[in-house]
Amino acid sequence: MDNLSQRADGLAEISRSPSGSVFNVQGYSIHDGPGIRTTVFLKGCPLTCLWCQNPEAMAKQPQVFFDSDKCRGCGQCVAACPERAIEIVAGKARTDRQLCVDHGLCAAVCPSGARSVMGREATADDIFEEIEADAIFYKHSGGGVTISGGEPLAQPKFTEYLLKRCKEAGFHTAIDTSGFAKWSVVEPVMKYVDLVLYDFKHMNPLEHARLTGVSNELILDNAKKIHHQLAIPMLARVPLIPGYNDTPENIADTAKFIAGELSTSIRVHLIPYHPFGEAKYERLEVRGRFFSSHTPSGARVAEISDIFRGYGLAVTIGG
Ligand code: SF4
Ligand code: SF4
């Protein structure tokens, strides 16, 4: 191939709409940045937070959800499964997730909707078309588009392309991220980001690794670079998980880092744990999960808010 053809191939590669793994495009979203937004939830995350409320977002590939209440025990899924992963036990389908490869043939034949496929492959152009349909709401509410997950930085080409198209269309853009990616991955994506929603889960690297599967060193380093080098507005999201990250020491360390290493101009959003996502673990038939927490009381959330305010930070509960 001559140089000219190689260059043409390279340009085609850059302008081609990448495919990504998406599990939801949620319109009329009001908790993921200013105004009315469309939030695009991507599948796939390098973290395994024990309290994750979106377990359907952890794996990159589409997955089969099973709602036992809807199952009639008809056995059609058993016949459709080439992996012999399903059997009927006590009148209900039971799937061996070690054998299942999630291609969804069972969901296609299930007459009751007990089985469904969570997630789909789509091009960034296709997703942009869905986003664009709600443009009128962004304009009148000061809203825009948020890419969330899963982890948007785990699909950087898709995320970068989609954000670029949103910026070209004049939409406000936000990314909701754990920040766990190499800087060489983070920086190109941030070119098209107006607001970063950044998660702070635990300040101790060993505890962070125990609770999420990865250390926090890269995450904290990236937070500093995004704030100081790129100067992109940031909002700090702190999940409050009683028994896991709500000790006075960890709350004070989190506040100290945001106020001292970043800036007191960063608003802190405290996200109290709520068990609304627990049923999803049953639908994914995840067994042997060891996690137990509860929603913190209003008084406890108020105490924690006061610790952050004591470091000069503005606090919002939720969002
Ligand atoms: S998704 Fe899993 S259970 Fe369903 S047909 Fe495929 S292998 Fe079988
Ligand atoms: S096809 Fe659907 S309703 Fe029938 S046994 Fe399988 S999951 Fe249950």
Side-chain angles (χ1 to χ4, degrees):
M1 192 186 288
D2 59 29
N3 281 348
L4 206 58
S5 311
Q6 276 179 350
R7 190 155 172 269
D9 270 7
L11 287 174
E13 184 63 34
I14 290 165
S15 59
R16 197 176 295 142
S17 171
S19 280
S21 185
V22 177
F23 80 89
N24 196 11
V25 179
Q26 186 179 301
Y28 218 83
S29 167
I30 52 167
H31 295 297
D32 299 314
I36 296 171
R37 313 186 70 80
T38 294
T39 302
V40 180
F41 293 92
L42 303 189
K43 261 177 87 57
C45 183
L47 275 64
T48 50
C49 303
L50 292 179
W51 53 81
C52 180
Q53 294 299 288
N54 287 328
E56 73 275 37
M58 282 183 175
K60 192 172 173 212
Q61 78 278 5
Q63 286 169 291
V64 170
F65 254 37
F66 174 61
D67 184 344
S68 172
D69 290 343
K70 291 185 183 167
C71 177
R72 302 179 201 150
C74 68
Q76 292 191 46
C77 54
V78 177
C81 178
E83 310 298 328
R84 297 178 186 275
I86 313 171
E87 59 181 338
I88 303 294
V89 178
K92 301 275 184 188
R94 181 189 287 169
T95 309
D96 183 339
R97 292 279 171 170
Q98 301 292 327
L99 296 176
C100 174
V101 293
D102 280 310
H103 47 35
L105 296 173
C106 53
V109 300
C110 177
S112 68
R115 305 181 86 85
S116 57
V117 178
M118 185 56 69
R120 61 184 157 125
E121 279 288 316
T123 68
D125 281 342
D126 287 342
I127 299 297
F128 179 76
E129 274 180 31
E130 294 180 41
I131 289 169
E132 209 177 18
D134 283 344
I136 186 97
F137 296 115
Y138 317 147
K139 198 170 165 196
H140 292 299
S141 70
V145 179
T146 301
I147 315 293
S148 183
E151 173 50 64
L153 295 173
Q155 299 187 59
K157 293 290 170 213
F158 181 88
T159 300
E160 181 184 346
Y161 182 99
L162 187 54
L163 287 167
K164 182 167 181 281
R165 285 217 60 187
C166 291
K167 285 306 298 170
E168 286 167 355
F171 304 153
H172 178 272
T173 59
I175 186 169
D176 177 12
T177 179
S178 70
F180 185 74
K182 287 184 201 159
W183 184 244
S184 59
V185 168
V186 177
E187 195 175 18
V189 172
M190 293 298 160
K191 275 188 295 193
Y192 306 107
V193 174
D194 295 317
L195 173 69
V196 184
L197 315 179
Y198 210 86
D199 298 347
F200 294 90
K201 299 169 196 287
H202 206 289
M203 295 311 291
N204 180 296
L206 293 177
E207 264 303 277
H208 196 282
R210 187 179 74 83
L211 300 174
T212 73
V214 304
S215 174
N216 62 3
E217 281 141 334
L218 181 62
I219 291 168
L220 299 182
D221 199 39
N222 283 339
K224 288 192 261 186
K225 285 177 174 161
I226 291 168
H227 181 72
H228 295 296
Q229 289 182 25
L230 305 183
I232 301 174
M234 184 181 280
L235 187 155
R237 282 184 147 179
V238 180
L240 295 181
I241 321 291
Y244 290 83
N245 72 348
D246 68 334
T247 61
E249 185 191 13
N250 185 54
I251 296 298
D253 285 349
T254 307
K256 247 182 256 172
F257 179 86
I258 296 168
E261 300 287 335
L262 301 175
S263 163
T264 51
S265 67
I266 292 175
R267 178 172 281 274
V268 174
H269 283 234
L270 299 178
I271 321 282
Y273 171 76
H274 191 284
F276 63 77
E278 290 299 308
K280 296 179 188 173
Y281 286 90
E282 284 169 30
R283 292 183 179 188
L284 286 168
E285 297 169 287
V286 174
R287 302 195 199 283
R289 176 171 175 255
F290 182 73
F291 173 73
S292 171
S293 189
H294 58 270
T295 303
S297 68
R300 180 76 185 119
V301 175
E303 274 172 28
I304 292 171
S305 303
D306 284 344
I307 297 176
F308 281 96
R309 290 195 185 102
Y311 284 85
L313 293 158
V315 176
T316 296
I317 313 297

